Amino acid sequence: MPTTPRRTTLLAVAAAAGILASAALSGCTPAAKPAGPATAAATGGSTPRTVPSATPTPTDPPTPVGLTCEQVVTPEQLQASVPGYAADPGYAPKAGSLEKRIADWQGVACAWLNQTSGDVIQVAVARPPASALEGLKNSAITASNPVPTYGVPPQVEGYFAPGTSGQVQIFRGSYWIVADSTVFQEPGDAAPLMEKVLESVPSS
């Protein structure tokens, strides 16, 4: 999709902010881990980030993503990128979260649990309504830092929002990928898993 004038300005501002944020992150001590396994598992490991209210309600339908969690990240890919994790059997995306929006748009929302630490990694993939895609990108670049190491723009647009739970958003073709976890304290923490996800998700 061609970059609009607004997104061109946002990209320039966010790119500069991303450089400063990356420099700051490289010298920071990672934030403390969440409370013990019971707390992390019970809460899904993070506080859900809500869908921006400025995102208009689309009138056109989404496209079913047609993938299962084991296709998004195979067991072999999971162990290669984040060893020690297995499917979280009690997972359901939280109301108001981006993962819930993706599930409502006939996407797939997945979670993997570390049996030792209780940390949870969520990954969700959708093909949103075409009319919503530009607004989602604008929201991502406004709230997050661009991360070129997730892929080369404009084919892949990657963003990271730090916090108690770090959040990744990646746009490629008609696909929107969201990943969220307390173990994502810096963009690079999510990179190995995002590489595997992009290997599994179609490019158009």
Side-chain angles (χ1 to χ4, degrees):
M1 178 181 295
T3 304
T4 63
R6 178 169 180 257
R7 284 192 60 232
T8 300
T9 302
L10 288 170
L11 281 166
V13 173
I19 292 171
L20 293 175
S22 296
L25 284 169
S26 64
C28 291
T29 300
K33 290 287 185 181
T39 301
T43 62
S46 66
T47 300
R49 297 168 192 257
T50 57
V51 178
S53 58
T55 303
T57 301
T59 57
D60 51 322
T63 301
V65 76
L67 295 170
T68 66
C69 290
E70 286 201 350
Q71 290 173 322
V72 172
V73 180
T74 68
E76 294 77 17
Q77 289 174 327
L78 188 70
Q79 291 308 308
S81 53
V82 284
Y85 284 79
D88 184 353
Y91 172 71
K94 292 179 173 63
S97 67
L98 298 186
E99 290 82 7
K100 183 63 166 64
R101 170 64 63 88
I102 283 176
D104 290 344
W105 275 344
Q106 302 180 62
V108 58
C110 313
W112 297 274
L113 173 68
N114 187 306
Q115 299 291 335
T116 301
S117 67
D119 291 317
V120 174
I121 294 175
Q122 301 178 78
V123 175
V125 183
R127 299 182 70 184
S131 64
L133 196 56
E134 190 69 16
L136 292 170
K137 291 181 179 181
N138 286 336
S139 295
I141 198 171
T142 300
S144 310
N145 300 315
V147 183
T149 54
Y150 292 156
V152 180
Q155 288 79 17
V156 177
E157 296 182 39
Y159 305 94
F160 182 80
T164 302
S165 178
Q167 185 183 75
V168 175
Q169 292 191 63
I170 296 177
F171 299 90
R172 184 172 68 177
S174 61
Y175 287 86
W176 177 34
I177 301 166
V178 173
D180 197 294
S181 180
T182 54
V183 300
F184 298 160
Q185 293 298 305
E186 298 182 5
D189 294 336
L193 184 60
M194 292 302 96
E195 180 182 353
K196 302 303 182 185
V197 172
L198 287 170
E199 288 177 2
S200 303
V201 173
S203 59
S204 61

